[in-house]
Amino acid sequence: MPKWSEEVLMNLWLSSLVWVTCIHCMSVSPLPAQSKSTLTGGSAVVASGLGERQRLLSRTKRGWVWNQMFVLEEFSGPDPILVGRLHTDLDVGSKNIKYVLAGEGAGTIFAINELTGDIHAMKRLDREEKAEYTLTAQVINADTDEPLEPPSEFIIKVQDINDNPPQFIEGPYRASVPEMSAVGTPVTRVTATDADDPVYGNSAKLVYSILEGQPYFSIDPSSATIKVALHGMDREMREEYLVVIQAKDMGGHMGGLSGTTTVTVTLTDINDNPPKFSKSLYEFVIPEDLPIGKMGGKVKANDRDIGENSKSTYGIVEGDDQSTFEIITDTQTQEGILRLKKPLDYESRRAYTLKVEATNIRSEPNSGGPFKDTATVKIVVDDSDEPPVFSKSMYPLEVNENAPINTVIGTVTARDPDSTGSFVRYFIDRHTDLERQFNINVDDGKITLAKTLDRETNTWHNITVTATEVRNHSQISRAIVAIRVMDINDNAPEFATEYKVIQTVSAVDKDDPIQGHYFDYRLLPEMLNNPNFTIKNNQDNSISVLAKHDTFRRQKQEMYFLPIIVTDNGNPPMSSTNTLTIRVCGCSKDGIVQSCNIEAYVLPIGLSMGALIAILACVSLLLVIVVLFVTLRRHKNEPLIIKDDEDVRENIIRYDDEGGGEEDTEAFDIATLQNPDGINGYLPRKDIKPDLQFMPRVDQHSGPNGVDVDEFINVRLHEADNDPTAPPYDSIQIYGYEGRGSIAGSLSSLETASSDSDQNYDYLREWGPRFRRLGELYSVGESDRET
């Protein structure tokens, strides 16, 4: 049996009180008897009242009106618990009646004694599972099962006891509050639930308290609101707190049930800490040749805050020369980057002192402005070896044309800016003076003429002069010298040059104006100063293309393009740009075009596809011959001379023919020179296969005697130079024999009058051990000679 509290026992006593309600059923005819029904026990009693007796006589039928019954939850005992008792005034002992129970739980949870009307609870009930049951009671004749009274409903309520502790369904909790919050600042609110009846008694009346987390936080006992209880809570000292909350029912009194949960409270950051430099003085050494915009040093102010509250910006607030340096903020590392704004000069200034400041980006309201901190930065300039510095970046000089060689044009000067003051030497960059028209004194920088100048050929000469330190040749600086050639009267008057007409062109217009066509021709603006070609209007809708000089060379440029704008006289005028292609052709002395094919120029320095294939075939054939030669040598018989390890003799290759001498006439037919007219026309070459058709040469007429060797050789030389079928290599003439009249005599040892025995080969012994074997073969003794 559980121990019932005083409050529970009081509730049970109140539930056993009897409420009386009189309901009478009146009938038109008088009834033989009167009856009343009563519900006792843990319910109410229904009975006839004395004051209602007169009205009962007029009712036609009677019925029951039931109040509620109560049963205590979680009751466990050896016997079923009595819930209540049904009773009717028809039960006088003489009638055989029976009580019947129907509805929720009838027969399973609740059972009725058919004879006495007692209702018992057969099972242990849980109010949190089901709080009430609706049942129907009726009195019937036990013999005939006929109802003696109409059925009536009544309710059995399960009375609550404190059997469920409070629970925090949403726990554990996490909450946050700004650091340095005032006492009483709400943090969060927790909620506990109790499954007991909140209406009946104090089983569900909860009271909250803090078990852990004091003295930092407090909680309202009724609303469960957690508040700040301590002043000046600093996140930098402690960031997270664990608070344990208890909820107790029965109004917090003894005997009540309780439940707990945890709340993790995090202090959020506010900007309550200023930035602080790690050092009050920073020193940096910066080379004087540091490029502009490069970093010279880094400073950093640390802030104990986090996030945006810790970010700062840097700036220079004081200093000797604030225009030389600047400081920027690295947003990633929160460092101040010191950068150079102007070049440094060790010789003019060697140290700088700056005052830098770090300022928080954000500031809290009523904090008196953003937090700041300052530090001193001392910069020492380190000396670097600098190149010489010219007094000017460009020197304009003048000289008269045809001035004599070694004339002094002008002087350039440069100095070493370093404190050591190295000597400087001067040179002319010959890439800017390819013709070596100028010289410079390496010591004093005086520029003189090396060649005479002609203003009519070139008015300006731009050269580059370099200055180099004597002790460090890698330190070089450059300056431009612009030399203007001044004119002198060195040319006599002459007729203007008549440009040569190379082509006449005209335009065609599909329109047919009434006034007829009139075309205007002009060159593109960028072609007006074209040194090669120009145009002349013939006033008949055509133009002549003129060549400004006659020194065109195909080796220099093969093709020229001349854009010409043609405009008609229509309304509105229409224009188009046409490009005239001009090709340089090879001509004879008489101006006769010999070849205009572009291949005629390309072939002497390049190879066509056919020539390339032929060369590859020759190379392949040569490789096959070499392979066969090596194979045959491997299968050749061993020589008669037995070689040992010291035999270092090489193979001797014998040739069957020798070169011709003065009597060799097979190399060149002298008859050709004696009769040049015998070979008129073109003789094709037999050493290569021509890819292009060569233009036949014009017949050359000899003099009266029929022999003009000089003219013949010049013509053949000209043809050889312009022959597109000629190979890009020299021909080799092979001579069949050596003549008897050779001044050098025969070099063959086969025809010599002396023998090996007449020669002395003792000198071979002096050549060392590598030639010892050879000396033994040729240095024979007396016995050998006699034999």
Side-chain angles (χ1 to χ4, degrees):
M1 293 291 291
K3 294 182 180 180
W4 307 105
S5 62
E6 182 179 351
E7 183 179 1
V8 174
L9 295 177
M10 181 62 69
N11 291 333
L12 293 176
W13 178 79
L14 291 175
S15 65
S16 63
L17 298 179
V18 178
W19 290 269
V20 179
T21 305
C22 300
I23 299 178
H24 298 275
C25 298
M26 302 296 296
S27 178
V28 176
S29 58
L31 292 175
Q34 296 177 357
S35 64
K36 64 178 180 181
S37 300
T38 305
L39 176 61
T40 60
S43 63
V45 176
V46 180
S48 59
L50 298 177
E52 302 291 337
R53 191 173 298 273
Q54 298 298 328
R55 288 189 298 169
L56 292 174
L57 295 177
S58 62
R59 300 263 177 106
T60 58
K61 63 180 180 178
R62 59 177 31 172
W64 293 340
V65 176
W66 302 87
N67 277 322
Q68 297 177 350
M69 291 185 181
F70 296 88
V71 59
L72 198 63
E73 71 166 332
E74 302 293 346
F75 179 81
S76 60
D79 299 323
I81 182 175
L82 177 63
V83 179
R85 175 175 295 175
L86 296 178
H87 185 72
T88 179
D89 56 359
L90 296 178
D91 186 5
V92 294
S94 59
K95 292 185 178 181
N96 189 9
I97 64 175
K98 182 170 64 172
Y99 294 93
V100 179
L101 186 66
E104 295 178 339
T108 56
I109 299 176
F110 302 102
I112 189 170
N113 191 318
E114 297 179 351
L115 299 179
T116 63
D118 294 339
I119 300 175
H120 291 84
M122 308 301 295
K123 295 183 178 180
R124 186 175 181 178
L125 302 179
D126 186 2
R127 188 201 69 84
E128 287 71 35
E129 181 178 349
K130 188 172 180 62
E132 61 181 29
Y133 299 86
T134 303
L135 297 99
T136 302
Q138 192 174 20
V139 180
I140 63 174
N141 191 313
D143 298 328
T144 63
D145 291 336
E146 293 181 357
L148 300 179
E149 290 183 354
S152 297
E153 287 187 351
F154 66 96
I155 296 174
I156 298 178
K157 285 193 174 185
V158 181
Q159 192 171 14
D160 181 55
I161 64 173
N162 190 17
D163 60 340
N164 291 281
Q167 293 183 351
F168 292 91
I169 305 300
E170 300 177 357
Y173 298 85
R174 297 193 68 90
S176 62
V177 64
E179 62 174 332
M180 299 296 177
S181 296
V183 175
T185 301
V187 178
T188 187
R189 182 181 178 184
V190 297
T191 303
T193 58
D194 196 319
D196 294 327
D197 191 356
V199 179
Y200 181 76
N202 294 327
S203 298
K205 185 178 180 180
L206 304 180
V207 174
Y208 298 89
S209 61
I210 290 183
L211 300 182
E212 294 182 19
Q214 295 175 338
Y216 308 105
F217 300 96
S218 63
I219 189 170
D220 187 278
S222 302
S223 63
T225 301
I226 302 175
K227 301 178 182 180
V228 175
L230 185 64
H231 177 73
M233 298 177 65
D234 190 2
R235 185 200 66 83
E236 287 71 34
M237 299 298 296
R238 182 177 177 181
E239 185 175 3
E240 195 172 84
Y241 297 84
L242 183 65
V243 181
V244 179
I245 304 297
Q246 181 190 65
K248 191 174 183 180
D249 59 12
M250 298 299 294
H253 297 294
M254 294 185 61
L257 303 179
S258 63
T260 59
T261 187
T262 59
V263 180
T264 302
V265 181
T266 303
L267 298 183
T268 59
D269 184 63
I270 65 172
N271 192 9
D272 59 339
N273 292 280
K276 187 68 176 177
F277 283 103
S278 57
K279 297 187 294 184
S280 60
L281 176 62
Y282 292 86
E283 293 183 353
F284 301 111
V285 177
I286 300 177
E288 66 171 327
D289 58 353
L290 180 71
I292 295 177
K294 292 298 182 179
M295 181 185 68
K298 294 188 294 184
V299 298
K300 185 175 183 180
N302 299 312
D303 197 321
R304 297 178 63 192
D305 297 322
I306 60 175
E308 293 294 326
N309 296 325
S310 65
K311 293 183 179 180
S312 301
T313 58
Y314 297 86
I316 299 176
V317 293
E318 294 180 13
D320 298 337
D321 188 358
Q322 300 184 35
S323 61
T324 305
F325 298 93
E326 66 177 352
I327 188 168
I328 63 172
T329 304
D330 188 334
T331 57
Q332 300 296 327
T333 62
Q334 285 299 300
E335 293 176 321
I337 308 299
L338 190 67
R339 298 195 311 185
L340 189 64
K341 293 174 61 178
K342 294 194 310 184
L344 299 175
D345 187 9
Y346 173 82
E347 286 69 28
S348 60
R349 187 166 185 177
R350 303 185 180 184
Y352 296 85
T353 301
L354 305 174
K355 188 175 183 180
V356 297
E357 182 180 70
T359 306
N360 275 155
I361 297 177
R362 294 182 56 184
S363 61
E364 296 294 332
N366 303 323
S367 63
F371 296 112
K372 302 178 181 180
D373 191 26
T374 58
T376 302
V377 176
K378 186 176 181 180
I379 301 170
V380 177
V381 180
D382 187 22
D383 186 23
S384 299
D385 192 5
E386 301 175 86
V389 178
F390 280 95
S391 59
K392 299 179 183 178
S393 60
M394 196 268 290
Y395 292 85
L397 302 179
E398 293 181 353
V399 62
N400 291 328
E401 64 174 330
N402 297 329
I405 296 175
N406 295 327
T407 299
V408 177
I409 303 175
T411 304
V412 296
T413 57
R415 66 175 183 86
D416 184 8
D418 298 321
S419 58
T420 55
S422 173
F423 289 104
V424 177
R425 303 188 68 184
Y426 303 92
F427 302 93
I428 293 178
D429 186 354
R430 292 305 178 183
H431 293 90
T432 61
D433 184 23
L434 296 176
E435 297 181 2
R436 296 182 175 269
Q437 295 176 302
F438 306 96
N439 288 329
I440 190 171
N441 190 298
V442 295
D443 297 322
D444 57 14
K446 289 183 179 180
I447 300 175
T448 58
L449 277 177
K451 294 181 181 180
T452 57
L453 303 178
D454 186 8
R455 189 200 65 85
E456 288 71 31
T457 302
N458 198 347
T459 305
W460 286 93
H461 297 269
N462 296 322
I463 62 175
T464 300
V465 176
T466 62
T468 307
E469 291 184 10
V470 174
R471 60 181 177 86
N472 187 359
H473 298 293
S474 63
Q475 296 296 335
I476 302 175
S477 58
R478 292 173 171 81
I480 297 175
V481 178
I483 303 173
R484 180 181 180 184
V485 182
M486 306 303 293
D487 184 46
I488 64 173
N489 191 11
D490 60 343
N491 292 282
E494 60 182 12
F495 287 111
T497 303
E498 180 66 28
Y499 293 156
K500 182 179 179 180
V501 178
I502 61 174
Q503 185 70 34
T504 300
V505 296
S506 59
V508 177
D509 195 328
K510 296 181 180 179
D511 298 326
D512 189 14
I514 299 175
Q515 295 82 4
H517 287 293
Y518 176 77
F519 300 117
D520 177 58
Y521 300 86
R522 67 182 186 277
L523 296 176
L524 290 179
E526 57 268 23
M527 299 297 294
L528 293 178
N529 297 324
N530 184 0
N532 299 313
F533 304 99
T534 186
I535 61 175
K536 176 184 177 183
N537 196 334
N538 298 327
Q539 303 302 325
D540 58 353
N541 284 343
S542 67
I543 59 172
S544 296
V545 181
L546 308 177
K548 290 185 177 182
H549 58 85
D550 58 354
T551 59
F552 295 97
R553 293 292 181 268
R554 287 200 303 165
Q555 290 78 3
K556 182 178 180 181
Q557 186 170 348
E558 178 77 19
M559 306 285 291
Y560 293 89
F561 300 97
L562 188 65
I564 302 175
I565 301 176
V566 185
T567 307
D568 61 15
N569 60 338
N571 187 15
M574 304 295 291
S575 65
S576 65
T577 302
N578 303 269
T579 302
L580 185 64
T581 303
I582 302 173
R583 177 174 296 171
V584 180
C585 301
C587 301
S588 64
K589 291 183 179 181
D590 299 332
I592 300 175
V593 177
Q594 291 182 339
S595 176
C596 271
N597 196 327
I598 190 172
E599 292 293 334
Y601 169 66
V602 174
L603 283 177
I605 61 173
L607 296 176
S608 63
M609 183 59 69
L612 182 61
I613 295 176
I615 292 175
L616 293 177
C618 293
V619 172
S620 301
L621 181 60
L622 181 61
L623 292 176
V624 172
I625 293 174
V626 171
V627 172
L628 292 176
F629 179 75
V630 173
T631 304
L632 292 175
R633 281 184 57 82
R634 290 182 177 178
H635 292 81
K636 189 170 63 174
N637 294 331
E638 294 295 332
L640 297 177
I641 300 176
I642 300 175
K643 300 181 181 180
D644 55 13
D645 295 337
E646 296 182 354
D647 191 358
V648 293
R649 292 177 298 173
E650 300 292 339
N651 294 324
I652 299 176
I653 301 175
R654 182 176 62 85
Y655 297 92
D656 293 333
D657 57 351
E658 297 184 36
E662 287 77 2
E663 296 181 2
D664 185 4
T665 59
E666 295 183 6
F668 190 85
D669 189 3
I670 195 64
T672 303
L673 299 178
Q674 299 295 331
N675 186 14
D677 294 334
I679 307 179
N680 287 330
Y682 170 69
L683 291 179
R685 299 179 64 96
K686 297 180 180 181
D687 52 354
I688 64 170
K689 181 179 180 181
D691 292 334
L692 300 174
Q693 185 63 32
F694 184 71
M695 183 177 295
R697 64 173 178 267
V698 182
D699 293 341
Q700 302 291 336
H701 300 284
S702 61
N705 57 359
V707 178
D708 191 352
V709 177
D710 181 66
E711 181 65 22
F712 173 78
I713 293 177
N714 290 334
V715 172
R716 289 298 186 268
L717 179 61
H718 184 278
E719 290 178 357
D721 291 338
N722 294 278
D723 187 359
T725 62
Y729 45 81
D730 295 333
S731 299
I732 301 176
Q733 296 291 342
I734 301 176
Y735 298 88
Y737 67 96
E738 181 183 3
R740 293 187 177 88
S742 174
I743 301 176
S746 177
L747 300 178
S748 175
S749 61
L750 301 178
E751 297 180 0
T752 180
S754 61
S755 62
D756 292 342
S757 60
D758 297 333
Q759 299 184 25
N760 185 8
Y761 294 98
D762 293 338
Y763 62 89
L764 294 178
R765 299 179 180 273
E766 301 175 358
W767 287 6
R770 295 180 61 87
F771 295 91
R772 185 179 62 185
R773 181 63 176 172
L774 184 62
E776 293 175 354
L777 294 175
Y778 284 91
S779 299
V780 297
E782 292 297 332
S783 59
D784 296 332
R785 294 179 182 178
E786 293 176 356
T787 304

